[in-house]
Every structure is written in structure tokens, then in C-alpha cells.
Amino acid sequence: MTASANSANSAISAKGLVKHYGDVKALDGLDLEVPEGTVVGLLGPNGAGKTTAVRILTTLLRPDSGSATVAGFDVVRQADAVRRVIGLTGQYAAVDEYLTGHENLTMVGRLYHLPAGWVADRAQELLERFNLADAADRPVRTYSGGMRRRVDLAASLVAHPRILFLDEPTTGLDPRSRLDLWAVIGDLVREGTTVLLTTQYLEEADRLANDIVVIDHGRVIAHGTSDVLKDQVGGDRLEIVVRDRSRLNEAAAALSAVSDASPFVDADTGHVSAPVSGGSTVLVEAVRALDSAGVEIDDVVLRRPTLDDVFLALTGHVAEEEPAPAPASRGRGRGRKES
Amino acid sequence: MAMTSPPTIALPPPMHRPVCGWGLHDGLVVARRNLLATLRNPELLFFSLIQPVIFVLLFAYVFGGAIPVPGASPEAGASAYREYLMPGIFGQTVAFAAASSTVGIAEDMSKGIIDRFRSLPMKSSAVLFGRTLADAVRLILVLAVLAITGLVVGWRIHNGALLATFAFVLLLLFAYTVAWVGVWIGLYMPNTETAQTAGLLWLFPLTFMSNAFVPLEGMPTWLQTFASWNPLSALVLACRELFGNPTGQLPGQTYPWPLENPIAYTLISCAVILAIFIPLAARRYRNSTSH
């Protein structure tokens, strides 16, 4: 699963990362390889350890054990070298409320030790690119949520980072802002930036990431492209909507003739779904079986399993419905282990 | 959409590392950010200016007639106290500014911006240097407003501009020094609300157990000893001497060393406090995880 032989070409390489917060084990031996120039999606429910992993890889937190390199630099021993080549956009906009968008970007550029004149031009360029030129000279506290995320992302891009960490970049954004941000991230990837993206939105991982690493309870539980993961769950899904709810059982019986496993019946919505293999011929067989049983249907689809199906199959729970325990990682003032 | 054009400005060659390292450069960048934030929050600035002015008026007119200044002629009365008072108010104001450093750093630590700072290749202690520097610079404005208020109520500079300037430099040095203590306290605060209360606590004994408002003679002996060695007493006395205001000390009488050498003692105290609290605060900052 983790190709350690490849770690020379890995932008990010983590081995056996462990992190405790008191009694809570946030990371339990996490392994991760992100090849140069790819997008890896770290997918998992709240409390799975996604943010802890990102905080360790971006030098904000030290692991209790295990090791990690980013761009070949050790995240503990060569933290400064790591910081020079990464950009980080977290769940909360890490920008100053009272400063304007332009001032925020120039401040960040100056702290990368880049010349003032260059930084001013670069800030202007990024603000234009992120549709913030009109708001460039307004304090960030007057920005909308989507604008804050964009200026935050712009701040992490000032110094052309080779490796970008996006920790739930679209959490809490409206659909329109989410699409905008996805477009921007897509561009960065085309330009060759390596991206590690954490998300609890399966759609986001599906859309942006080449490779998906599913983690739960601080451990990797699955790894692969979205297609590979979907194949792990098994073939396709045949889904029908029965017109007469009283005939759901007959519909299920008809479908079980063509299905690999027993169909799943949702009595409330009139949906019957079944895992199938054999492509579109199955669809024809299913419709015939239903027709000869005299069951009328409103809708029929043959679809690939979604990452929702994958997640359900892997973890036994649906991703979005996971309750959000207050992660212990939020506790401030916690001493770091100096070992 | 304009958001999709590729970048055009390539990364420039890196800047040369300054001889003294990046600490000063980064500290100034952060200080600039803190000062800009102050300018964007004029209400807070306004009230932080009003508070010491109210203190001047209260002390000058409420206590003024009741507190005799040793060594001043009886007929001078309240006006002698006002001249005696002003350096005390200056001292109190620069000391209490430490509370705003406590609150400021606690607020910084509770915000996402600290994650940004920590993920940048900047000198980590620059966050603290920037905070203390900005707090000291802000005090220039506060001291100017105070000085004008003082002139209105009858305080005067008697020893010329040079010595007076030196007095203000001492005040700013002291402000910068206690700001580090304030920052160190602020790094232990769980939230801004606690910082607002805890940040003030130690400042009351520091300022009132001193010669800032009343002459030491009226205090019990043990308190006189404490007050004599209180660095704030030395600072206030140094300012009184430099401005040419009544010192409250009687000629011919011997006082503890700090009150005989107030300027030297102020400078030594500041150096010692900075030597202790800069490393303490910097270590605390490095070891504390952000929010």
C-alpha cells in the first residue's frame, strides 16, 4: 500500500505516525506516500486523524513516534526547510481580520523573506486571480466566508509552494464558492503543484484527487484511485423506484434473480437497490423480470458505486453522519514532547 | 472566470540573510501588522487614550489636596502634587500597557493566524517581538496625549528638552520590558477573557506599592522596603528628577540604593527582566501548540 521504495520521488512520505492527545489516539501508525505532482485525498470522518496528520506534516505538531519527510526534508529536524516549500490552508481562515487582503498577502510574502517590491506585485496578481481585486484594500473582516477562504488560499500560494496542504478547504462553504475553489485547486494541480487534501466530502475527493487514502481511527483502512476503491466494494449498483409501495417485496424478488446479493429495500422511498455485475445486459434482464412479475417502476438506474458506498462498506458507517467529537487537538497550551 | 489564468510572476532570487539574522526583519513585519490592526480599531485606541487622562484628572483633583508632597512648600499644595503626580501617571500607564500585551498575545494564540505564522519559515519569536514592539510604539501616542493633559493641569518640564526626552526613552524602555512579562503571562492564558482579568492583577500591586501616587513615608516599613526596590519606583523617581518635578525625597536623608541611583537601577532592572522573560516567553511560545 505504501511504496517505500518510491519515497525518493515522494513529495510527502510518512511512516508509522503516532500521536496521542491524553488518552485519545489521534494517529495510530499512519503511513502515507504522496508522489510528486499528484493530488492525494485524505478521506475520513471527523476525528479520524486527518487534521492531526496535516499538522504534523506542516511542522505545526510533533509526532509521538514515526517519521515524515516533505520534499525530502524531515518535518521535525528540518522544519524550517519544510516551511520554505509548503503552503497550508486550514479549516479556519488563517489571515488577519484587521488587515486588508493585500496587506495579508504582503505580510506572508515578507515572512517568506521575499523582496518587498516583488511581494507587492505577487499579492496583486493573486488577488486578481482569485477574484478579490475589488476587495484588495478592504479589511478581511468585511469579507464573506468564500472570500476569506480564497484569500487564505492565496496567502498559502504567495511563495509558489511546491507542496500544498489543504485541510478541509471547502468545509462550510456554499456550493457556488465550493465550485470556485475546486476550479482554483484544479488549476494549481495542472501547474504541477503536489496537493494533499483532507476532506469529509466524498464528492470532493472524487473530483480532485488522483489517489484516495481512507483513514479511520488514525489508521489507513483503504488506499487507491477512486475507481479501485469502488471496485473493492464490488460491481455496479442497480437501483429502481417502485410505483406501488405494496409491491416492494415482489420487486426485490424479481431483482434478486439478476443480482449477486440480496437487494436492499428502502420502504420509505420505494427504492430497491442491488449489487450487480455484467453491465447493461443486467439492466435489460432486470426490466424483463420486473415486467413479467407485473411490477411497475418509476425509475431505473445502473450506476457505479459512489465513495459513499465505499465508505459505508469500509467503515460500517456513513461518512457525513459521523458525530463530531471535540478533538483533543484543539486544546491550546499543550506542551510538545521534545524527544 | 479570471480565477483561472496561470501565474505570471516567477519566484525571485532569495534575499540575503541580514547580518543579525531574520529576527529583527520578521519582528518588524509582525509589529507592522499589529500597528495596522490598532489603526483599524480606532474605538479601542480612543478608549485606551481616554483611560489615563481620566486617571490624571481623578488623582490631580480628588487626591491632589489631600496628599502633601515632602519637601514642597505648604502653599504649593495641590499644584505641587500635580507636578509630583504626572511622572507617577506616566509610570503607571507604561506598566499597565503590559495588560494589553497579555490580551493581545492571548488573542493571537486563539486565532488561525498563528497557524499561518507557524507554517512560515519565519523566526518563531518574531511573533512575540512584533507584539512587544508594537505595544511600545503605541505608547508613544498615549504618552503624548498624557503629556498634553499634564501640561493643561499644571505639570511642567523644568530641566530642558534633552533630559525630558531621556525620561520618555526610559518610560518606553520600561514599557517594552513589562510587555514581555505581559506576553509571557498571556501565553499561559486559556482564552482572551481570562487574559483580560489575569493580565491586570499583578499590575495593581506593582503600581500602587510604589512611589507613583503617594510618597513612601506614609507606608509601613515593610511596604517601604518593597516599594523602594520596586523598579517602578525607580522609574518614576528618575522621571521626576529628569523633568525637574518634586521628587518627594528630603535632602540630606539617605535612601535605599535604587532611590539614590534611580536611572541606573531602572536600566539594570529592565536588562534583568528582559534577560529572564524573553527566553521564558520564547520557549513557552515554541512549546505551546496553537489553538
Side-chain angles (χ1 to χ4, degrees):
Chain A
M1 181 181 332
T2 49
S4 52
N6 269 352
S7 60
N9 302 325
S10 285
I12 303 169
S13 169
K15 286 182 191 68
L17 290 181
V18 174
K19 182 73 191 177
H20 296 263
Y21 294 110
D23 294 335
V24 182
K25 208 167 204 179
L27 288 183
D28 187 11
L30 184 87
D31 297 320
L32 187 67
E33 295 291 333
V34 179
E36 191 100 46
T38 65
V39 184
V40 168
L42 206 53
L43 182 66
N46 270 329
K50 304 186 298 286
T51 297
T52 304
V54 167
R55 292 176 74 79
I56 288 174
L57 294 171
T58 53
T59 76
L60 302 184
L61 209 60
R62 283 175 184 229
D64 294 342
S65 64
S67 65
T69 59
V70 169
F73 301 112
D74 187 280
V75 294
V76 175
R77 290 193 308 274
Q78 297 165 297
D80 234 37
V82 171
R83 290 177 189 142
R84 252 178 242 122
V85 295
I86 62 166
L88 166 66
T89 291
Q91 291 177 47
Y92 313 97
V95 284
D96 192 290
E97 296 266 292
Y98 288 108
L99 263 54
T100 67
H102 194 270
E103 284 163 353
N104 264 294
L105 299 193
T106 48
M107 176 180 73
V108 168
R110 300 291 285 143
L111 292 174
Y112 272 107
H113 305 145
L114 297 165
W118 181 88
V119 165
D121 292 346
R122 172 73 175 152
Q124 195 55 43
E125 177 192 53
L126 282 167
L127 289 164
E128 277 161 24
R129 182 178 182 187
F130 286 87
N131 270 355
L132 291 167
D134 292 339
D137 297 321
R138 265 170 35 203
V140 167
R141 72 189 152 142
T142 65
Y143 285 20
S144 69
M147 291 164 78
R148 279 171 201 234
R149 288 296 173 89
R150 295 210 298 277
V151 81
D152 189 43
L153 182 57
S156 36
L157 296 176
V158 169
H160 291 292
R162 283 158 55 195
I163 301 163
L164 191 59
F165 291 86
L166 302 172
D167 188 15
E168 303 203 7
T170 64
T171 299
L173 284 189
D174 60 84
R176 169 66 206 276
S177 304
R178 180 172 301 168
L179 286 174
D180 282 353
L181 213 57
W182 283 354
V184 172
I185 296 166
D187 286 342
L188 292 169
V189 172
R190 271 188 291 284
E191 290 156 20
T193 310
T194 305
V195 177
L196 180 68
L197 166 90
T198 81
T199 183
Q200 36 183 330
Y201 299 119
L202 305 153
E203 189 194 355
E204 189 161 271
D206 212 358
R207 164 117 178 213
L208 294 175
N210 311 105
D211 265 312
I212 293 169
V213 174
V214 185
I215 70 169
D216 201 21
H217 302 299
R219 243 186 319 232
V220 175
I221 57 171
H223 174 250
T225 64
S226 125
D227 283 340
V228 166
L229 290 176
K230 287 169 186 170
D231 284 344
Q232 280 186 6
V233 181
D236 296 334
R237 286 287 186 287
L238 181 71
E239 208 170 294
I240 60 168
V241 180
V242 180
R243 179 165 295 168
D244 182 353
R245 302 281 158 87
S246 65
R247 309 195 63 186
L248 282 172
N249 287 338
E250 288 163 72
L255 281 196
S256 63
V258 298
S259 167
D260 306 331
S262 56
F264 176 77
V265 178
D266 186 340
D268 292 336
T269 58
H271 277 68
V272 180
S273 66
V276 294
S277 49
S280 55
T281 56
V282 177
L283 189 60
V284 179
E285 284 170 30
V287 173
R288 270 196 204 122
L290 288 165
D291 196 36
S292 58
V295 178
E296 281 187 285
I297 52 171
D298 280 340
D299 198 8
V300 57
V301 283
L302 184 67
R303 61 169 174 83
R304 301 272 293 126
T306 62
L307 279 169
D308 283 301
D309 299 320
V310 174
F311 208 91
L312 184 62
L314 288 170
T315 66
H317 51 80
V318 178
E320 277 94 343
E321 287 173 4
E322 172 78 357
S329 61
R330 298 286 112 196
R332 224 196 86 224
R334 191 178 297 277
R336 270 193 321 203
K337 293 235 166 63
E338 293 294 334
S339 56
Chain B
M1 182 174 292
M3 282 161 64
T4 52
S5 60
T8 51
I9 306 182
L11 208 57
M15 286 167 71
H16 289 293
R17 187 175 178 281
V19 253
C20 53
W22 288 107
L24 182 65
H25 171 274
D26 295 349
L28 288 173
V29 172
V30 177
R32 182 172 180 273
R33 166 235 172 197
N34 292 332
L35 289 171
L36 280 171
T38 302
L39 292 178
R40 302 280 152 74
N41 201 347
E43 296 85 359
L44 185 63
L45 186 63
F46 176 76
F47 288 111
S48 71
L49 289 174
I50 287 300
Q51 195 191 326
V53 170
I54 290 175
F55 265 104
V56 173
L57 299 177
L58 281 178
F59 275 96
Y61 293 104
V62 178
F63 298 133
I67 302 172
V69 179
S73 60
E75 60 269 25
S79 78
Y81 181 69
R82 278 174 223 154
E83 291 233 68
Y84 175 82
L85 170 71
M86 277 316 293
I89 294 274
F90 285 135
Q92 182 217 23
T93 303
V94 295
F96 268 75
S100 68
S101 304
T102 303
V103 175
I105 202 75
E107 204 174 338
D108 278 348
M109 294 300 285
S110 70
K111 284 184 177 168
I113 187 83
I114 283 294
D115 277 355
R116 170 75 59 208
F117 286 145
R118 283 172 189 277
S119 70
L120 295 175
M122 63 189 282
K123 190 100 175 138
S124 72
S125 55
V127 173
L128 310 182
F129 275 102
R131 165 63 50 192
T132 49
L133 210 57
D135 287 346
V137 168
R138 204 163 25 230
L139 268 186
I140 296 175
L141 183 64
V142 178
L143 289 177
V145 170
L146 261 185
I148 292 165
T149 315
L151 291 171
V152 170
V153 301
W155 167 74
R156 291 292 179 269
I157 291 169
H158 301 281
N159 286 352
L162 195 66
L163 290 184
T165 307
F166 182 51
F168 283 115
V169 168
L170 274 187
L171 284 164
L172 289 174
L173 171 68
F174 194 82
Y176 185 73
T177 304
V178 288
W180 273 99
V181 182
V183 158
W184 176 73
I185 294 171
L187 290 170
Y188 282 88
M189 295 294 115
N191 52 53
T192 319
E193 291 74 20
T194 314
Q196 258 152 3
T197 312
L200 279 174
L201 276 184
W202 65 286
L203 295 168
F204 283 102
L206 178 76
T207 51
F208 286 90
M209 290 162 81
S210 80
N211 62 5
F213 304 112
V214 290
L216 299 184
E217 276 68 23
M219 301 178 182
T221 319
W222 63 271
L223 192 55
Q224 273 191 37
T225 310
F226 177 89
S228 304
W229 289 86
N230 181 347
L232 187 75
S233 294
L235 171 74
V236 170
L237 181 58
C239 288
R240 285 183 180 133
E241 287 179 359
L242 290 166
F243 288 135
N245 298 138
T247 60
Q249 311 220 107
L250 297 167
Q253 196 168 330
T254 51
Y255 289 92
W257 193 84
L259 299 182
E260 296 284 351
N261 306 278
I263 294 173
Y265 185 69
T266 303
L267 292 172
I268 292 168
S269 313
C270 287
V272 170
I273 294 170
L274 287 173
I276 294 171
F277 283 92
I278 290 179
L280 276 184
R283 200 180 63 183
R284 174 69 192 171
Y285 176 81
R286 275 198 310 276
N287 291 348
S288 58
T289 53
S290 51
H291 66 203

